[in-house]
Amino acid sequence: MGKVSQVIMIVLVGCSNAPSLQSDVATSAPEIERQTFITHPLPTTDDCPLDMVRINRFCIDRYEYPNIKGAYPDFAMSAFDAEKVCSDINKRLCSYTEWHRACGGSHGYYYSYGPVFKPGVCNDNKVYDKQPNWMLMFTPGWKAYARTLYKGEPSGLYQGCVTDEGVYDLPANVREWVKDGEQYVIPSGYWYGTMEGPPTCDYVIRSHSKGFASYEFGTRCCKSITDDTRENTSSN
């Protein structure tokens, strides 16, 4: 058995106790290349870049990576991919605590838009009709295959899927890698809702290895606010 096959078997066995994931076939798949998303830092306001929202002592991207309104969120990302894309633009992966705080907004709601689930306010009501071929993961053709399963929508398209602080698509669209201590986890729902009910801000998957690049896995980035950050902002 080759090394690639061994890796596939290890990951799939490790996920055997996890809830089964769902998928769908996209009717029009976006063309996404990660390297085109590396951008120059934007001017800052209120200690955060303009493409981020300040919450307490951290900044969080307004939209899912590449954090551009109207762009399709990136997908089929492992935790390694998520760490790298954030690091490349002088940001970092959000912690689970930060993500959860941002998702509920200043009121700590179960959903970004309020306390009660409203189907279709976010990208959470697509139709499931196909099980993915997981044996393609960790092969060169995985990203192209994952694109055929993609049901993400452009960032900001669902105007009601936003917190009172201005962060979009947190409980739906692509799932987002975050870090919880030394573990990488996946909170939130995606375009089919969650696997066990509505996509609340409390839902989190802890069963996948950090190399698991599922077709609906993406991310968004964060930055810490420090005394140095405030001093640099004031001097500008």
Side-chain angles (χ1 to χ4, degrees):
M1 184 180 291
K3 291 184 179 179
V4 172
S5 299
Q6 291 177 336
V7 171
I8 293 172
M9 290 296 293
I10 290 170
V11 172
L12 293 180
V13 169
C15 297
S16 61
N17 294 325
S20 59
L21 295 174
Q22 299 173 333
S23 66
D24 197 10
V25 178
T27 55
S28 58
E31 293 296 326
I32 295 178
E33 296 296 339
R34 287 194 188 109
Q35 61 266 29
T36 65
F37 296 153
I38 306 305
T39 57
H40 296 293
L42 293 176
T44 57
T45 180
D46 195 24
D47 304 332
C48 292
L50 293 178
D51 61 348
M52 305 185 84
V53 173
R54 177 175 180 173
I55 300 177
N56 299 333
R57 293 184 65 83
F58 71 94
C59 311
I60 188 169
D61 285 348
R62 290 184 182 275
Y63 306 104
E64 293 163 323
Y65 184 82
N67 193 27
I68 300 172
K69 184 177 182 179
Y72 284 93
D74 202 355
F75 60 98
M77 296 175 68
S78 68
F80 300 114
D81 296 326
E83 287 270 25
K84 185 177 188 307
V85 297
C86 291
S87 176
D88 283 347
I89 52 176
N90 197 30
K91 297 179 182 179
R92 59 170 173 78
L93 209 59
C94 300
S95 72
Y96 174 68
T97 300
E98 290 169 336
W99 189 98
H100 187 269
R101 165 60 183 83
C103 185
S106 64
H107 300 289
Y109 288 141
Y110 283 115
Y111 309 93
S112 289
Y113 46 79
V116 180
F117 180 53
K118 298 178 181 179
V121 171
C122 297
N123 182 21
D124 56 20
N125 60 351
K126 298 295 176 64
V127 178
Y128 161 77
D129 66 1
K130 184 180 179 181
Q131 187 71 17
N133 181 359
W134 296 113
M135 297 303 292
L136 292 177
M137 193 181 293
F138 308 113
T139 69
W142 173 247
K143 184 67 180 270
Y145 173 73
R147 186 175 286 116
T148 70
L149 304 173
Y150 189 75
K151 280 292 185 180
E153 297 287 2
S155 292
L157 178 66
Y158 289 77
Q159 297 183 15
C161 192
V162 60
T163 70
D164 61 341
E165 295 165 312
V167 188
Y168 285 80
D169 300 318
L170 278 162
N173 224 10
V174 297
R175 292 193 188 273
E176 301 172 24
W177 280 109
V178 300
K179 198 167 184 181
D180 189 17
E182 295 301 314
Q183 184 182 20
Y184 293 87
V185 301
I186 298 284
S188 80
Y190 60 115
W191 43 79
Y192 300 124
T194 67
M195 292 174 284
E196 297 178 356
T200 72
C201 294
D202 293 339
Y203 187 82
V204 59
I205 299 173
R206 299 180 179 275
S207 57
H208 292 308
S209 70
K210 54 191 176 183
F212 196 80
S214 189
Y215 62 92
E216 84 280 21
F217 284 8
T219 198
R220 78 175 71 217
C221 306
C222 283
K223 285 179 73 76
S224 299
I225 295 174
T226 65
D227 292 338
D228 289 342
T229 301
R230 291 199 298 274
E231 289 176 3
N232 291 337
T233 302
S234 299
S235 64
N236 292 335

